[in-house]
mmCIF file of all heavy atoms in Angstrom:
data_model
loop_
_atom_site.group_PDB
_atom_site.id
_atom_site.type_symbol
_atom_site.label_atom_id
_atom_site.label_comp_id
_atom_site.label_asym_id
_atom_site.label_seq_id
_atom_site.Cartn_x
_atom_site.Cartn_y
_atom_site.Cartn_z
ATOM 1 N N ASN A 34 10.033 45.631 6.220
ATOM 2 C CA ASN A 34 10.084 45.763 4.900
ATOM 3 C C ASN A 34 10.178 47.354 4.402
ATOM 4 O O ASN A 34 10.720 47.854 3.489
ATOM 5 C CB ASN A 34 9.005 45.219 4.083
ATOM 6 C CG ASN A 34 9.162 43.756 3.878
ATOM 7 O OD1 ASN A 34 10.274 43.332 3.836
ATOM 8 N ND2 ASN A 34 8.165 43.018 3.497
ATOM 9 N N ALA A 38 12.870 49.573 2.568
ATOM 10 C CA ALA A 38 12.549 50.430 1.421
ATOM 11 C C ALA A 38 12.938 51.854 1.564
ATOM 12 O O ALA A 38 12.517 52.722 0.825
ATOM 13 C CB ALA A 38 11.043 50.320 1.039
ATOM 14 N N ASP A 59 3.865 53.381 4.063
ATOM 15 C CA ASP A 59 5.390 53.930 4.173
ATOM 16 C C ASP A 59 5.502 54.872 2.933
ATOM 17 O O ASP A 59 4.762 54.793 2.092
ATOM 18 C CB ASP A 59 6.422 52.852 4.249
ATOM 19 C CG ASP A 59 6.560 52.067 2.982
ATOM 20 O OD1 ASP A 59 6.723 52.765 1.898
ATOM 21 O OD2 ASP A 59 6.577 50.822 3.047
ATOM 22 N N THR A 78 13.116 38.106 -3.612
ATOM 23 C CA THR A 78 13.680 39.160 -2.767
ATOM 24 C C THR A 78 14.544 40.105 -3.738
ATOM 25 O O THR A 78 15.033 39.648 -4.617
ATOM 26 C CB THR A 78 14.512 38.642 -1.597
ATOM 27 O OG1 THR A 78 15.015 39.589 -0.882
ATOM 28 C CG2 THR A 78 15.695 37.781 -2.166
ATOM 29 N N SER A 79 14.641 41.292 -3.333
ATOM 30 C CA SER A 79 15.452 42.191 -3.971
ATOM 31 C C SER A 79 16.803 42.492 -3.187
ATOM 32 O O SER A 79 17.556 43.268 -3.487
ATOM 33 C CB SER A 79 14.852 43.572 -4.076
ATOM 34 O OG SER A 79 14.278 44.164 -2.902
ATOM 35 N N LYS A 80 16.918 41.683 -1.967
ATOM 36 C CA LYS A 80 18.018 41.989 -1.047
ATOM 37 C C LYS A 80 19.153 41.224 -1.086
ATOM 38 O O LYS A 80 20.281 41.776 -0.672
ATOM 39 C CB LYS A 80 17.357 42.013 0.314
ATOM 40 C CG LYS A 80 16.077 43.046 0.495
ATOM 41 C CD LYS A 80 15.364 43.010 1.733
ATOM 42 C CE LYS A 80 14.081 43.844 1.387
ATOM 43 N NZ LYS A 80 13.049 43.762 2.393
ATOM 44 N N PHE A 95 15.709 39.105 3.684
ATOM 45 C CA PHE A 95 16.621 38.613 2.665
ATOM 46 C C PHE A 95 16.047 37.263 2.179
ATOM 47 O O PHE A 95 16.426 36.749 1.185
ATOM 48 C CB PHE A 95 18.042 38.475 3.095
ATOM 49 C CG PHE A 95 18.203 37.406 4.224
ATOM 50 C CD1 PHE A 95 18.401 36.146 4.041
ATOM 51 C CD2 PHE A 95 18.224 37.921 5.528
ATOM 52 C CE1 PHE A 95 18.584 35.228 5.208
ATOM 53 C CE2 PHE A 95 18.408 37.171 6.572
ATOM 54 C CZ PHE A 95 18.615 35.753 6.355
ATOM 55 N N ARG A 96 15.017 36.655 2.947
ATOM 56 C CA ARG A 96 14.606 35.286 2.546
ATOM 57 C C ARG A 96 13.503 35.301 1.540
ATOM 58 O O ARG A 96 13.229 34.299 0.937
ATOM 59 C CB ARG A 96 14.028 34.715 3.895
ATOM 60 C CG ARG A 96 14.939 34.255 4.909
ATOM 61 C CD ARG A 96 14.245 33.592 6.126
ATOM 62 N NE ARG A 96 15.189 33.280 7.083
ATOM 63 C CZ ARG A 96 15.748 33.982 7.847
ATOM 64 N NH1 ARG A 96 15.472 35.220 8.045
ATOM 65 N NH2 ARG A 96 16.775 33.577 8.815
ATOM 66 N N GLY A 97 12.825 36.384 1.401
ATOM 67 C CA GLY A 97 11.688 36.508 0.477
ATOM 68 C C GLY A 97 10.617 35.661 0.898
ATOM 69 O O GLY A 97 9.898 34.961 -0.065
ATOM 70 N N ALA A 99 8.335 36.547 3.686
ATOM 71 C CA ALA A 99 7.258 37.160 4.542
ATOM 72 C C ALA A 99 5.999 37.341 3.720
ATOM 73 O O ALA A 99 4.812 37.006 4.161
ATOM 74 C CB ALA A 99 7.767 38.504 5.112
ATOM 75 N N LEU A 100 6.083 38.031 2.537
ATOM 76 C CA LEU A 100 4.883 38.407 1.797
ATOM 77 C C LEU A 100 4.047 37.220 1.345
ATOM 78 O O LEU A 100 2.915 37.096 1.683
ATOM 79 C CB LEU A 100 5.151 39.259 0.600
ATOM 80 C CG LEU A 100 5.701 40.668 1.085
ATOM 81 C CD1 LEU A 100 5.942 41.607 -0.180
ATOM 82 C CD2 LEU A 100 4.799 41.350 2.024
HETATM 83 P P1 ADP B 1 12.460 39.986 1.942
HETATM 84 O O1 ADP B 1 12.090 41.154 2.766
HETATM 85 O O2 ADP B 1 13.148 38.881 2.660
HETATM 86 O O3 ADP B 1 13.096 40.334 0.638
HETATM 87 P P2 ADP B 1 9.525 39.844 1.624
HETATM 88 O O4 ADP B 1 8.669 38.798 1.347
HETATM 89 O O5 ADP B 1 9.387 40.451 2.901
HETATM 90 O O6 ADP B 1 11.063 39.404 1.409
HETATM 91 O O7 ADP B 1 9.482 41.097 0.526
HETATM 92 C C1 ADP B 1 9.759 40.618 -0.894
HETATM 93 C C2 ADP B 1 10.286 41.863 -1.609
HETATM 94 O O8 ADP B 1 9.160 42.748 -1.790
HETATM 95 C C3 ADP B 1 11.311 42.637 -0.926
HETATM 96 O O9 ADP B 1 12.637 42.024 -1.244
HETATM 97 C C4 ADP B 1 11.164 44.055 -1.615
HETATM 98 O O10 ADP B 1 11.802 44.096 -2.855
HETATM 99 C C5 ADP B 1 9.693 44.152 -1.925
HETATM 100 N N1 ADP B 1 8.913 44.928 -0.791
HETATM 101 C C6 ADP B 1 8.160 44.390 0.282
HETATM 102 N N2 ADP B 1 7.800 45.402 1.010
HETATM 103 C C7 ADP B 1 8.012 46.494 0.422
HETATM 104 C C8 ADP B 1 7.881 47.913 0.646
HETATM 105 N N3 ADP B 1 7.082 48.339 1.758
HETATM 106 N N4 ADP B 1 8.303 48.868 -0.169
HETATM 107 C C9 ADP B 1 9.044 48.493 -1.266
HETATM 108 N N5 ADP B 1 9.430 47.157 -1.630
HETATM 109 C C10 ADP B 1 8.836 46.261 -0.825
#
Side-chain angles (χ1 to χ4, degrees):
N34 278 345
D59 69 53
T78 181
S79 54
K80 297 170 194 173
F95 61 87
R96 292 182 176 79
L100 293 185

